Amino acid sequence: MTEIALDTRPPLAGCAPPPEKSLGFFAQIRASNENAFETFPRIAYEVPVWQPKSMLNPMVVISDPEGVRRVLVDNVANYPKHEMERRFFRAMFGGGLLAIDGDLWRAHRKVMAPPFHPRSVMAYGPAMAACAAACAERWRGLADGRQVDVAGEMRDVTLRIICRTMFSTDADALVGATGKALGFAQDALTFNFLDLLPVIGPWRLRGKQKAIKRDFSVMDAAIYRMIDARKRDLANAPDDLLTRLISAEDPETGVGLSREEIRDEVITIFMAGHETTASTLTWAWYALSQRLEVETTLHAELDAVLGGRTASADDLTSLPYTRMVIDEAMRLYPAAPGISARVAVKDDVVSGVPIKAGQSLMICPWILHRHEKLWERPLEFDPERFSPERSHGRPRFAHMPFSGGPKVCIGASLAITEAVIILATLAQKFQARLAPAEEVKLRTRVTLFPKDGLKMVLEPRSAA
């Protein structure tokens, strides 16, 4: 493996040095329509705790791993989710796992945990491999030099995997409806600094909620048909997530989840189970196209381990560099760049900084993963920073693409497994190059994607 040398190549998209000072009022408003996290000034990446002086962003940003541990683990009861974040998630997910707290969250999490256990994830390996192989076969049928939107392609293959593994159904009936509804909801819920303002913020959110409810009607109808069909033959149903949701009962009352609660959890899994992985894979393809020495090292591993065959879950331990590429893509381009906004219930001290009751805090992977005190050359795409040698001694909460603490992402194992299988299967057979004149710009919604997709030219590899 060859370490990336510091060079004079243009930075990757979103990797220009941060501004020296906070942007002005109107500049922040404009920038927040795309990727608001690029507006944070350089000092936010240098200090463990940063408190903006702007009225548009009153949140304290915690970027010290021990401070993150304090908020998410050691004193987690003192830092519930911020009401603004709960409202945003409720607008999209209703009463799904991402939008609830307390005993209700614990009950739903218990029902949903078994299908995401590592043993279950390994059993999904054949379905993941089959979906990845089908994508490779479709790509092979395209003429050389054919342009594709890699962001859309990764959304398609990860959606098919989530449909087969979690709901034992084919994705064809859901692909169009799901993509349209989730895309609209993410656009509607784009964070804007105006959302933090009193009166204006709640008014904006009410309008967004109404629009999302209208636009979800087609997807909701498809999900309810899936639920109703499963209920009619529950005795012969597969033991997947959908069956568990339908069969779940409160141990004390015997009451199960309502049709609407099941729908909300299905929506949650569609978003958390395929959008985030698709984001990671999209940025991995982009970075590989711009850092050819990384691509060469990846190809050498894939050729040696796979020899042309489709990757499987059993190959994960034999593909360490592939996993490093995924980890580095999640570091530089975290799928959920602003993972958690919290509010202090009582006075506390975080990383030596007094926190008052009622004060708002943010844990922001975009900043944490690029922090100059935690990472060497943080704006460089360098997968080998995740090698065992260079990872030794790194704080647990320096890299947290799946959050942390009790509410760590339930699908982390699933996401890593499918990302490695998909990238390994496709990258051993194809190279992807940016289409001529393609300009890559970042756009943050709930997840992070290129603003206008990622148009790339597919080139079959001679080694494949």
Side-chain angles (χ1 to χ4, degrees):
M1 299 181 184
T2 304
E3 184 174 348
I4 297 175
L6 187 63
D7 55 37
T8 58
R9 292 174 297 185
L12 297 180
C15 292
E20 288 295 329
K21 297 181 180 180
S22 296
L23 300 182
F25 179 90
F26 292 106
Q28 287 193 47
I29 295 297
R30 289 193 299 270
S32 65
N33 286 322
E34 303 302 337
N35 181 28
F37 300 103
E38 291 183 282
T39 70
F40 287 94
R42 183 178 181 85
I43 191 172
Y45 301 85
E46 299 175 333
V47 296
V49 179
W50 176 63
Q51 185 167 8
K53 297 179 181 180
S54 169
M55 63 174 288
L56 285 176
N57 187 6
M59 291 190 177
V60 177
V61 179
I62 309 297
S63 299
D64 169 45
E66 288 307 308
V68 174
R69 181 187 297 276
R70 175 71 180 172
V71 173
L72 295 185
V73 181
D74 297 341
N75 198 21
V76 64
N78 192 54
Y79 296 101
K81 284 187 176 182
H82 196 282
E83 178 59 25
M84 182 186 71
E85 182 172 303
R86 286 203 298 266
R87 287 178 179 176
F88 266 62
F89 282 136
R90 282 198 298 266
M92 182 180 291
F93 305 119
L97 200 63
L98 291 174
I100 54 179
D101 272 314
D103 291 340
L104 182 60
W105 173 83
R106 282 184 282 273
H108 281 221
R109 175 93 177 199
K110 186 176 181 180
V111 170
M112 297 175 70
F116 294 98
H117 188 278
R119 285 194 300 272
S120 298
V121 170
M122 288 297 290
Y124 303 146
M128 295 178 183
C131 290
C135 182
E137 188 63 28
R138 188 165 55 79
W139 282 13
R140 189 179 294 112
L142 299 175
D144 287 356
R146 174 72 176 271
Q147 287 188 22
V148 299
D149 176 11
V150 167
E153 293 287 317
M154 294 303 98
R155 280 183 166 119
D156 182 90
V157 69
T158 56
L159 178 59
R160 292 180 186 281
I161 287 173
I162 213 70
C163 283
R164 291 183 62 173
T165 57
M166 295 293 106
F167 308 116
S168 302
T169 187
D170 189 76
D172 289 341
L174 290 168
V175 167
T178 300
K180 182 177 182 296
L182 294 181
F184 178 85
Q186 291 213 61
D187 284 343
L189 289 175
T190 300
F191 172 76
N192 188 292
F193 284 110
L194 291 174
D195 296 318
L196 295 172
L197 299 179
V199 181
I200 295 176
W203 173 77
R204 283 169 54 86
L205 184 57
R206 285 193 295 272
K208 294 175 181 181
Q209 287 173 316
K210 292 178 181 178
I212 290 170
K213 187 174 182 179
R214 289 193 304 268
D215 206 74
F216 261 75
S217 58
V218 175
M219 184 179 182
D220 286 346
I223 291 173
Y224 285 132
R225 285 195 297 270
M226 185 171 67
I227 293 170
D228 293 341
R230 182 65 60 88
K231 284 183 174 181
R232 286 194 295 269
D233 193 21
L234 197 57
N236 298 311
D239 184 21
D240 59 11
L241 177 61
L242 183 59
T243 296
R244 289 178 178 273
L245 290 172
I246 292 172
S247 304
E249 292 182 352
D250 186 290
E252 297 181 2
T253 66
V255 175
L257 299 180
S258 69
R259 196 165 173 258
E260 288 71 27
E261 286 177 312
I262 295 171
R263 172 266 182 202
D264 293 343
E265 295 299 2
V266 170
I267 292 286
T268 299
I269 295 305
F270 275 136
M271 172 61 74
H274 96 94
E275 276 279 313
T276 52
T277 308
S279 170
T280 295
L281 286 164
T282 297
W283 291 114
W285 282 109
Y286 165 67
L288 289 170
S289 76
Q290 302 301 295
R291 298 295 181 257
L292 300 187
E293 72 279 15
V294 176
E295 184 185 59
T296 297
T297 303
L298 174 66
H299 287 160
E301 177 177 90
L302 299 179
D303 293 343
V305 174
L306 300 179
R309 63 175 172 82
T310 300
S312 73
D314 293 331
D315 293 315
L316 262 65
T317 56
S318 302
L319 296 170
Y321 193 78
T322 310
R323 170 66 188 268
M324 290 181 212
V325 170
I326 295 298
D327 283 335
E328 178 70 342
M330 292 191 297
R331 182 194 69 85
L332 202 56
Y333 298 106
I339 208 164
S340 191
R342 305 290 176 118
V343 60
V345 176
K346 299 178 181 179
D347 290 354
D348 193 19
V349 176
V350 177
S351 299
V353 176
I355 301 296
K356 296 295 184 182
Q359 195 161 16
S360 300
L361 297 86
M362 175 180 285
I363 295 168
C364 182
W366 177 270
I367 295 178
L368 191 70
H369 291 181
R370 295 160 176 250
H371 203 280
E372 295 185 1
K373 303 300 183 185
L374 300 174
W375 305 94
E376 182 183 0
R377 303 204 313 262
L379 299 181
E380 283 288 314
F381 187 81
D382 179 6
E384 291 184 30
R385 70 175 81 243
F386 286 97
S387 66
E389 298 79 15
R390 291 174 62 185
S391 296
H392 181 71
R394 181 176 297 143
R396 160 66 183 86
F397 290 97
H399 184 243
M400 46 180 298
F402 299 107
S403 188
K407 291 198 172 184
V408 66
C409 176
I410 195 172
S413 179
L414 175 74
I416 290 295
T417 302
E418 70 172 320
V420 170
I421 288 176
I422 292 169
L423 183 63
T425 297
L426 296 176
Q428 72 163 331
K429 298 181 181 299
F430 299 93
Q431 295 172 302
R433 299 289 178 256
L434 280 183
E438 176 74 348
E439 184 177 3
V440 180
K441 295 183 179 179
L442 278 62
R443 191 177 194 182
T444 298
R445 297 301 180 249
V446 177
T447 49
L448 178 68
F449 274 93
K451 178 182 177 183
D452 299 309
L454 186 65
K455 291 181 281 296
M456 305 189 83
V457 177
L458 298 178
E459 300 175 357
R461 287 190 61 222
S462 57

